């Protein structure tokens, strides 16, 4: 995915059809669309794997599908509206093909459960994030005339043994899911309800997946989890080793193990949580050239009282201290964040503290949102969603404007510098231009010349916008 600029964030919630070549042999055709975060995109690859093993073929043509599955997001109300609109559009296909199976997967399925069947009359199937192994059975239930629902959450499911069918188009950069669920209870967040308890995946299967991706020509993997810093294998939360004959694996150790698969394989990770981020993670980043110098560390607010209400487990000072720790160990680190504007009771002064924190950190990039109240969350039960819509909107705009300024300044600082760039493909705007990313996760566009997708190239930065660096290749890196 090419990075979109901050204010376009809601566009990243648009569904991206899976562009998989349609085979012509007989069998049911599956059309999959993913919304929301990288975890969902990664889960769709598990779903594609489970269903293709059962004889389905993926297609990128909605019109020829026998089964349409939308892997949905529930993080903000707007994300759910996008899916409802899409379901309405799909209804017209159902008129042409009465046997069409329409299913809702993912977080919205988990949040609304069978209620969705009543609300969206043409949905036949509901499956939550831990129920994908049962999809073939659920679909055959429908063929037998029943509506199919499985929203059971699991404490163990990690899909560790399932080799995902890669649905990305570039063949260069892939996701590896290392854990599922979330045990934090941020008061605004629906994820603990939609994805269940946190569990880590066996590191051996993670390394095998990284090796297999490398063999297939991939050059970059992103280790995914809602809170990667609490990844833990063979060791309890209290630090007791479970099996003495095996090595305990922390997130820092896991990153090191993946980094050692090959110096040619780049490693990224998402998402870190400030309260769990430890120094050894920064040290491993500094030690291995192929672990990218980039960290996404969501702050949410720059005011300690709001952070407390959000139940984030850190204060403004603690967060700033973590940022300093990372910069002291990895001096050229790229940094990005998530910010929520207009959380319950947020005053003008508290909002100003978010802006002032941004001034101190000067993020390279940020995802910025208006607070959207989510049913059943702690905030919904305890606090009033009392910041008026226009105020939320104005505060968000101030945050976006400041971030745009910082993004531009950050890019301007890179003028004249040369970066090692992994080429991800042709630029969307021109076939004569390639695009890739540097270690800090900045997108760089440069003339194609002799260079190709998948190569590491040294690129000198000659120009920039707030969103993109523009340069010229110097040689192979
Ligand atoms: N696990 C990650 C984030 C998951 S959700 C973390 O802990 O940081 C991605 C982002 O969506 C969050 O960081 C937050 O900024 C935003 N978000 C979550 N719930 C929201 C809500 N109810 N309203 C607005 N933004 C929200
Ligand atoms: Fe949501 Fe907080 Fe968990 Fe992130 S850490 S997924 S914001 S509850
Ligand atoms: Fe959305 Fe679920 Fe991800 S709510 S952000 S798809 S974990």
């Amino acid at each position: 995915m090419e990075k979109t600029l901050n204010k376009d964030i809601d566009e990243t919630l648009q569904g991206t059809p899976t562009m998989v070549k349609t085979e012509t042999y007989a069998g049911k055709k599956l059309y999959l669309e993913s919304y929301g975060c990288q975890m969902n995109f990664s889960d769709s690859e598990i779903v594609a794997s489970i269903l293709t093993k059962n004889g389905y073929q993926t297609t990128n043509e909605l019109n020829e599908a026998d089964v349409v599955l939308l892997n949905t997001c529930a993080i903000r109300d707007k994300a759910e509206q996008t899916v409802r609109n899409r379901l309405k559009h799909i209804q017209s296909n159902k008129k042409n093909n009465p046997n069409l199976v329409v299913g809702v997967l993912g977080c919205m399925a988990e949040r609304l459960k069978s209620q969705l069947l009543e609300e969206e009359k043409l949905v036949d199937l509901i499956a939550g994030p831990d129920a994908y192994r049962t999809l073939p059975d659920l679909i055959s239930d429908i063929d037998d005339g029943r509506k199919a629902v499985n929203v059971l959450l699991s404490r163990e499911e990690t899909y560790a043994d399932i080799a995902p069918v890669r649905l990305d188009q570039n063949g260069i950069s892939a996701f590896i899911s290392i854990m599922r669920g979330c045990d934090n209870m941020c008061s605004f967040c629906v994820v603990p309800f939609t994805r269940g308890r946190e569990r880590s995946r066996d590191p051996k299967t993670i390394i095998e997946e990284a090796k297999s991706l490398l063999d297939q020509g991939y050059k970059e993997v992103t280790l995914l989890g809602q809170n990667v810093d609490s990844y833990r294998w063979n060791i309890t939360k209290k630090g007791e080793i479970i099996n003495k004959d095996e090595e305990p694996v922390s997130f820092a150790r896991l990153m090191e193990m993946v980094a050692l698969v090959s110096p040619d394989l780049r490693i990224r990770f998402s998402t870190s949580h400030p309260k769990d981020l430890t120094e050894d993670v920064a040290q491993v980043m500094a030690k291995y050239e192929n672990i990218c110098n980039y960290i996404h560390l969501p702050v949410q607010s720059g005011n300690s009282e709001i952070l407390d209400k959000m139940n984030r487990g850190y204060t403004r000072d603690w967060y700033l201290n973590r940022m300093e720790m990372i910069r002291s160990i990895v001096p050229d680190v790229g940094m990005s964040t998530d910010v929520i504007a207009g959380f319950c009771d947020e005053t003008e002064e508290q909002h100003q503290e978010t802006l002032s924190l941004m001034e101190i950190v000067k993020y390279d990039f940020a995802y910025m949102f208006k607070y959207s109240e989510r049913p059943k969350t702690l905030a919904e039960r305890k606090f009033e969603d009392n910041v008026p819509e226009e105020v939320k909107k104005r505060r968000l705009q101030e945050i976006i404007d400041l971030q745009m300024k910082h993004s531009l300044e950050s890019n301007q600082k890179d003028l004249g510098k040369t970066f090692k760039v992994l080429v991800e493909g042709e630029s969307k705007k021109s076939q004569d231009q390639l695009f890739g990313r540097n270690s800090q996760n900045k997108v760089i566009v440069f003339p194609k010349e002799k260079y190709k997708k998948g190569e590491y190239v040294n690129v000198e930065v000659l120009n920039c916008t707030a969103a993109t660096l523009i340069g010229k290749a110097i040689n192979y890196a």
Side-chain angles (χ1 to χ4, degrees):
M1 260 189 299
E2 217 173 324
K3 204 165 223 175
T4 48
L5 234 202
N6 318 320
K7 66 178 169 35
D8 295 329
I9 182 63
D10 281 320
E11 281 173 26
T12 62
L13 297 174
Q14 303 283 316
T16 310
T18 57
M19 296 298 181
V20 181
K21 199 167 161 257
T22 308
E23 305 291 344
T24 45
Y25 58 84
K28 285 195 172 178
K29 292 206 171 69
L30 162 71
Y31 177 88
L32 241 174
E33 222 169 70
S34 305
Y35 297 79
C37 66
Q38 295 170 330
M39 289 293 294
N40 249 18
F41 283 79
S42 171
D43 279 2
S44 289
E45 299 184 333
I46 305 271
V47 169
S49 174
I50 290 167
L51 287 174
T52 48
K53 274 210 188 80
N54 279 270
Y56 290 83
Q57 300 148 29
T58 45
T59 173
N60 55 10
E61 292 296 329
L62 178 58
N63 292 335
E64 60 177 37
D66 300 293
V67 177
V68 173
L69 300 177
L70 304 189
N71 196 358
T72 62
C73 175
I75 202 82
R76 285 167 290 275
D77 186 54
K78 201 169 169 189
E80 293 198 1
Q81 289 313 326
T82 310
V83 169
R84 287 185 197 277
N85 290 338
R86 190 65 179 141
L87 284 170
K88 288 199 181 77
H89 175 83
I90 292 167
Q91 284 183 4
S92 54
N93 287 66
K94 189 127 180 162
K95 276 183 210 126
N96 302 335
N97 175 7
N99 294 326
L100 179 69
V101 171
V102 178
V104 177
L105 315 180
C107 292
M108 198 176 159
E110 190 63 50
R111 190 179 86 71
L112 291 164
K113 306 186 168 58
S114 44
Q115 190 188 327
L116 247 185
L117 292 177
E118 288 140 39
E119 291 174 19
E120 300 288 342
K121 293 275 180 263
L122 289 158
V123 171
D124 310 289
L125 180 154
I126 312 278
D130 289 342
Y132 299 148
R133 284 182 204 268
T134 65
L135 277 171
D137 292 341
L138 290 172
I139 296 172
S140 54
D141 280 352
I142 298 163
D143 294 341
D144 296 341
R146 291 188 291 267
K147 295 268 181 192
V149 181
N150 185 352
V151 286
L152 282 179
L153 287 171
S154 156
R155 278 175 173 256
E156 283 94 35
E157 181 63 274
T158 58
Y159 300 110
D161 57 315
I162 294 180
V165 168
R166 301 293 163 186
L167 299 172
D168 63 278
Q169 291 165 58
N170 73 0
I172 301 299
S173 183
F175 299 129
I176 301 183
S177 172
I178 62 162
M179 59 198 297
R180 299 181 71 80
C182 183
D183 280 357
N184 294 318
M185 275 285 172
C186 302
S187 62
F188 53 80
C189 184
V190 78
V191 172
F193 303 92
T194 63
R195 297 211 154 237
R197 299 303 299 270
E198 179 188 294
R199 63 223 101 122
S200 296
R201 176 177 169 189
D202 185 339
K204 285 188 227 67
T205 68
I206 296 170
I207 302 302
E208 272 162 29
E209 195 170 325
K211 283 185 178 153
S212 142
L213 284 163
L214 184 74
D215 290 345
Q216 291 164 53
Y218 282 84
K219 293 285 168 62
E220 181 177 272
V221 294
T222 303
L223 308 180
L224 287 184
Q226 290 301 344
N227 181 4
V228 287
D229 302 284
S230 60
Y231 176 89
R232 181 164 29 85
W233 187 258
N234 193 28
I235 185 163
T236 65
K237 261 190 185 165
K238 288 186 188 144
E240 292 147 2
I241 297 174
I242 300 162
N243 176 357
K244 300 266 182 317
D245 301 329
E246 265 186 53
E247 180 196 16
V249 182
S250 64
F251 178 56
R253 176 70 187 127
L254 178 74
M255 278 219 288
E256 184 162 43
M257 287 159 74
V258 183
L260 290 168
V261 165
S262 162
D264 251 2
L265 188 70
R266 265 188 175 182
I267 291 104
R268 297 189 185 277
F269 54 95
S270 184
T271 306
S272 303
H273 194 300
K275 81 173 164 55
D276 298 316
L277 178 74
T278 47
E279 220 170 286
D280 54 353
V281 171
Q283 272 150 1
V284 160
M285 277 170 87
K287 183 170 171 194
Y288 291 92
E289 194 267 338
N290 58 330
I291 300 181
C292 289
N293 290 347
Y294 168 68
I295 188 157
H296 180 66
L297 201 62
V299 65
Q300 316 299 0
S301 164
N303 172 267
S304 295
E305 274 168 55
I306 292 288
L307 287 169
D308 186 44
K309 277 193 146 163
M310 286 178 163
N311 202 20
R312 288 289 288 178
Y314 54 87
T315 60
R316 174 188 173 95
D317 285 347
W318 166 276
Y319 182 90
L320 287 171
N321 173 286
R322 291 285 88 181
M323 286 309 221
E324 266 175 39
M325 178 275 286
I326 302 164
R327 278 192 173 139
S328 69
I329 297 173
V330 192
D332 62 340
V333 69
M335 285 182 167
S336 62
T337 198
D338 292 347
V339 183
I340 298 179
F343 186 63
C344 312
D345 299 329
E346 187 190 63
T347 63
E348 211 48 44
E349 292 72 38
Q350 290 170 331
H351 162 63
Q352 287 300 328
E353 280 211 71
T354 297
L355 297 174
S356 78
L357 181 134
M358 291 171 70
E359 284 286 12
I360 296 171
V361 178
K362 293 207 187 332
Y363 296 102
D364 301 296
F365 184 82
Y367 294 98
M368 298 156 284
F369 313 100
K370 271 185 295 183
Y371 172 57
S372 164
E373 186 176 78
R374 308 310 290 135
K376 288 198 187 148
T377 55
L378 210 70
E380 190 245 3
R381 287 182 280 133
K382 261 176 82 177
F383 312 124
E384 207 183 323
D385 179 14
N386 54 4
V387 177
E389 183 60 23
E390 325 82 71
V391 177
K392 279 186 190 170
K393 220 173 164 175
R394 195 247 310 143
R395 288 183 189 167
L396 177 64
Q397 197 54 52
E398 287 174 10
I399 291 170
I400 290 171
D401 291 346
L402 184 61
Q403 185 51 47
M404 289 286 275
K405 183 169 154 268
H406 290 163
S407 294
L408 181 63
E409 284 169 6
S410 158
N411 282 354
Q412 283 167 340
K413 277 198 194 139
D414 289 339
L415 294 177
K417 288 187 194 163
T418 298
F419 292 105
K420 179 176 172 178
V421 171
L422 171 60
V423 184
E424 290 179 38
E426 281 174 3
S427 147
K428 274 182 198 150
K429 288 188 188 138
S430 159
Q431 288 187 346
D432 302 328
Q433 302 276 323
L434 294 174
F435 86 95
R437 266 167 234 245
N438 65 8
S439 181
Q440 291 76 7
N441 207 32
K442 286 189 180 176
V443 174
I444 307 193
V445 177
F446 58 98
K448 189 190 261 173
E449 299 176 284
K450 63 183 176 186
Y451 301 102
K452 289 192 206 70
K453 185 166 94 167
E455 290 174 341
Y456 286 104
V457 178
N458 286 319
V459 181
E460 187 186 350
V461 180
L462 303 174
N463 208 338
C464 71
T465 66
T468 319
L469 299 176
I470 300 153
K472 183 174 175 9
I474 296 179
N475 51 21
Y476 289 111

